């Protein structure tokens, strides 16, 4: 089996707090580490009542400090929200504190709505400068050159993986021509996955950072003791996703039976079609079939469940059946 990694959104579950969510993320990272998962990623989202990882670099530092060997990183940092120098300094600091364990994934989406973008002081045209900002950011990790007047301290001269993330052909093409590893958000936006993967591999140009293409795909997994229990648990993600798409984000809801109308059901079937739900055996079979069909170099697995015990059980079931843990 290819390397398996974990995506955690630090869900603030219904009735809980952001502090509790962050403690659960650290606990899940420790569990993933004990099972042999490759990396544990967190993501930048703003003004989301159900996600506690807005200050992503801070959370990465907390999780890295709670673990010993697993790679911890951003999946991702929304670069247009930040000055490249500030990102280089933050991740240079993390790499200095936890050498050889930090990943920096970059996206160009806002991770928020228009009002939040204004509150972040984001320039509406900043996404158009994404390629130039990536180049600038990468330069801050290089050794300083004669005459250079702006440095990332810490950061300059450090080596840490920089990934490009996306759900479109744009990011796939940019990652290819820049010779960077690429992660596609197929766990919630799968429509262009196959095209993006093919484009990335066909147009990849070797770089000092990466000699051959390396692509990671995302899926969700929800494991229950029975298929019926798993289907019930999956209603939390469904409720959360529908509320978000309808412009009314909420805390991560407790599972309960839901009757979706035709439009809602079609949306769930389309966007969450790489969400695998069932017993550990069923989910492992579905993950194996996905890997066999699409041939990613690595798989990033979300475990979007309300119960921390069920999150842990989901990772344990995957590790047992696919990693021999």
């Amino acid at each position: 089996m290819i390397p398996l990694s974990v995506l955690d959104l630090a869900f603030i579950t219904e009735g809980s707090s952001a502090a509790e969510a962050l403690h659960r993320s650290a606990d899940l990272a420790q569990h993933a580490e004990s099972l042999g998962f490759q990396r544990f990623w967190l993501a930048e989202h703003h003004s989301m009542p159900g996600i506690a990882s807005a200050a992503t670099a801070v959370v990465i530092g907390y999780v890295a400090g709670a673990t010993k060997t697993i790679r911890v990183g951003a999946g991702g940092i929304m670069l247009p929200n930040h000055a490249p120098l500030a990102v280089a300094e933050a991740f240079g600091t993390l790499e200095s504190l936890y050498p050889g364990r930090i990943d920096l994934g970059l996206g160009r989406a806002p991770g928020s709505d228009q009002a939040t973008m204004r509150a972040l002081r984001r320039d509406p045209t900043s996404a158009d400068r994404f390629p130039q900002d990536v180049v600038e950011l990468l330069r801050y990790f290089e050794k300083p050159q004669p005459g250079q007047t702006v440095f990332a301290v810490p950061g300059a001269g450090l080596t840490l993986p920089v990934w490009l993330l996306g759900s479109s052909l744009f990011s796939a093409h940019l990652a290819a021509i820049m010779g960077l590893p690429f992660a596609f958000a197929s766990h919630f936006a799968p429509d262009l996955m196959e095209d993006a993967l093919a484009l990335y591999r066909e147009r990849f140009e070797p770089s000092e950072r990466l000699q051959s293409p390396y692509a990671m795909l995302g899926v969700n997994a929800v494991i229950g003791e029975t298929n019926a229990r798993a289907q019930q648990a999956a209603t939390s993600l469904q409720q959360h996703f529908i509320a978000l798409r309808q412009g009314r984000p909420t805390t991560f809801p407790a599972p309960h039976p839901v009757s979706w109308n035709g439009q809602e059901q079609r949306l769930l079937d389309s966007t969450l079609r790489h969400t695998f739900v069932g017993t550990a055996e069923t989910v492992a079979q579905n993950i194996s079939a996905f890997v066999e069909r699409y041939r990613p170099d690595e798989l990033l697995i979300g475990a979007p469940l309300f119960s921390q015990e069920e999150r842990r059980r989901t990772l344990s079931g995957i590790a047992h059946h696919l990693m021999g843990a």
Side-chain angles (χ1 to χ4, degrees), residues 35 77 191:
L35 295 169
I77 292 293
D191 288 348

Side-chain angles (χ1 to χ4, degrees), residues 7-9 15 26 110 121 134 136 162 182 187 200 265 320:
L7 174 66
D8 182 57
L9 295 185
R121 304 299 190 266
V134 173
E136 180 182 346
V162 177
F182 175 60
H187 58 296
Y200 171 67
Q265 189 63 58
H320 174 73

Side-chain angles (χ1 to χ4, degrees), residues 166-176 182-186 189-204 213 215-217:
S167 58
S168 70
L169 301 184
F170 179 92
S171 295
H173 186 219
L174 185 61
F182 175 60
F184 190 86
S186 40
D191 288 348
L192 294 175
M193 180 187 74
E194 291 182 82
D195 291 340
L197 193 58
L199 176 67
Y200 171 67
R201 287 174 168 161
E202 288 169 3
R203 300 191 182 181
F204 183 85
M216 180 158 59
L217 300 179

Side-chain angles (χ1 to χ4, degrees), residues 52 123 152 223 238 277 279:
D123 180 346
I223 288 177
Q238 294 167 2
V277 181
T279 62

Side-chain angles (χ1 to χ4, degrees), residues 1 44 55 58 60 69-70 92 122 136 151 158 161 175 211 221 233 235 304:
M1 175 54 66
E44 178 184 350
V58 178
I60 289 169
T69 58
I70 194 169
R122 173 172 167 161
E136 180 182 346
F151 308 91
L158 296 181
Q211 292 299 302
T235 61

Side-chain angles (χ1 to χ4, degrees), residues 27-255:
D27 174 77
L28 192 66
Q30 291 169 339
H31 187 57
E33 179 176 74
S34 72
L35 295 169
F37 283 87
Q38 178 85 354
R39 62 189 93 237
F40 189 92
W41 278 9
L42 298 125
E44 178 184 350
H45 293 280
H46 298 280
S47 293
M48 298 288 186
I51 297 176
S53 54
T56 316
V58 178
V59 182
I60 289 169
Y62 170 62
V63 171
T67 52
K68 296 179 180 179
T69 58
I70 194 169
R71 298 194 66 89
V72 186
I77 292 293
M78 300 300 108
L79 186 55
N81 291 342
H82 311 277
L85 176 61
V87 175
E89 290 170 337
F91 279 80
T93 301
L94 289 168
E95 177 65 18
S96 298
L97 291 169
Y98 308 103
R101 294 183 53 210
I102 301 299
D103 297 328
L104 172 54
L106 302 171
R108 68 184 183 111
S112 60
D113 56 26
Q114 294 294 321
T116 304
M117 285 173 58
R118 290 192 293 271
L120 289 167
R121 304 299 190 266
R122 173 172 167 161
D123 180 346
T125 66
S126 55
D128 298 336
R129 299 192 301 271
F130 182 69
Q132 293 84 357
D133 284 349
V134 173
V135 170
E136 180 182 346
L137 174 58
L138 293 177
R139 285 177 181 160
Y140 288 128
F141 289 120
E142 297 174 358
K143 293 182 179 180
Q145 299 299 309
Q148 184 174 338
T149 58
V150 179
F151 308 91
V153 182
L158 296 181
T159 301
L160 69 155
V162 177
W163 296 65
L164 292 192
L165 318 178
S167 58
S168 70
L169 301 184
F170 179 92
S171 295
H173 186 219
L174 185 61
I177 62 176
M178 296 188 72
L180 296 174
F182 175 60
F184 190 86
S186 40
H187 58 296
F188 73 90
D191 288 348
L192 294 175
M193 180 187 74
E194 291 182 82
D195 291 340
L197 193 58
L199 176 67
Y200 171 67
R201 287 174 168 161
E202 288 169 3
R203 300 191 182 181
F204 183 85
E205 299 178 13
S207 70
E208 292 183 1
R209 287 182 165 270
L210 192 65
Q211 292 299 302
S212 57
Y214 193 92
M216 180 158 59
L217 300 179
V219 300
N220 292 312
V222 176
I223 288 177
E225 294 178 349
T226 65
N227 285 324
R229 290 279 296 273
Q231 292 292 339
Q232 173 78 354
T235 61
S236 292
L237 174 62
Q238 294 167 2
Q239 295 174 73
H240 184 77
F241 191 79
I242 289 294
L244 181 62
R245 286 299 181 95
Q246 293 178 346
R248 45 180 184 85
T250 65
T251 54
F252 197 73

